[in-house]
């Protein structure tokens, strides 16, 4: 019953900011890493940012210096702070997690995806 629930999408003016949240719930043994992907219509889904259990982060070149990924371990929640937004950032943003879950009295490492939250940046 592991779920990833995103929130925070919406319409924002170019140059503005937006913060996305993703909360993981369920019988989670450990979080290997969590992150964000995005997909615009007609384009491939691409990695935006990731953060692992130790706090190490990775960013796509297109968002470095503008986006910041962070986490709240107590809430199993990851955030994406998006600053200096550009129209090309417009996309559906998907939360991703690689988790070790406790299922059927055993441990299983699996990938999970949220439903997506739309971010639209207007000019």
């Amino acid at each position: 019953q592991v779920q990833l629930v995103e929130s925070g999408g919406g319409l924002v003016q170019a140059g503005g900011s937006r913060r996305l949240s993703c909360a993981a719930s369920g019988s989670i043994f450990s979080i290997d890493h969590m992150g964000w992907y995005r997909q615009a219509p007609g384009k491939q889904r691409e990695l935006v940012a990731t953060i692992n259990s130790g706090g190490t982060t990775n960013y796509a070149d297109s968002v470095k210096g503008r986006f910041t990924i962070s986490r709240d371990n107590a809430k199993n929640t990851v955030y994406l702070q998006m600053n200096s937004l550009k129209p090309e950032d417009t996309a559906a943003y998907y939360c991703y997690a690689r988790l070790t879950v406790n299922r059927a009295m055993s441990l299983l490492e699996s990938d999970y995806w949220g439903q997506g939250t739309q971010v639209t940046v207007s000019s």
Side-chain angles (χ1 to χ4, degrees):
Q1 291 185 320
V2 172
Q3 286 186 297
L4 304 180
V5 180
E6 304 115 323
S7 63
L11 179 65
V12 61
Q13 191 175 13
S17 298
R18 198 82 179 183
R19 190 180 75 158
L20 307 182
S21 300
C22 174
S25 63
S27 185
I28 300 170
F29 181 80
S30 64
I31 299 173
D32 297 312
H33 63 270
M34 296 182 69
W36 295 91
Y37 287 71
R38 67 186 182 187
Q39 187 170 26
K43 293 189 175 182
Q44 300 278 0
R45 186 173 297 187
E46 64 177 354
L47 182 142
V48 178
T50 61
I51 184 167
N52 70 9
S53 59
T56 301
T57 58
N58 291 288
Y59 296 93
D61 289 341
S62 60
V63 306
K64 285 182 179 178
R66 299 189 298 120
F67 291 11
T68 302
I69 189 168
S70 61
R71 56 178 166 81
D72 183 338
N73 290 334
K75 298 180 179 179
N76 288 335
T77 299
V78 65
Y79 305 93
L80 184 67
Q81 179 66 46
M82 304 183 293
N83 298 326
S84 301
L85 282 162
K86 305 174 181 179
E88 49 263 46
D89 295 318
T90 296
Y93 284 71
Y94 295 88
C95 182
Y96 162 83
R98 174 162 289 183
L99 310 173
T100 298
V101 300
N102 190 339
R103 187 174 182 86
M105 303 181 71
S106 186
L107 300 178
L108 178 66
E109 186 177 87
S110 300
D111 296 336
Y112 296 89
W113 292 91
Q115 293 295 310
T117 184
Q118 179 68 35
V119 175
T120 301
V121 183
S122 66
S123 60

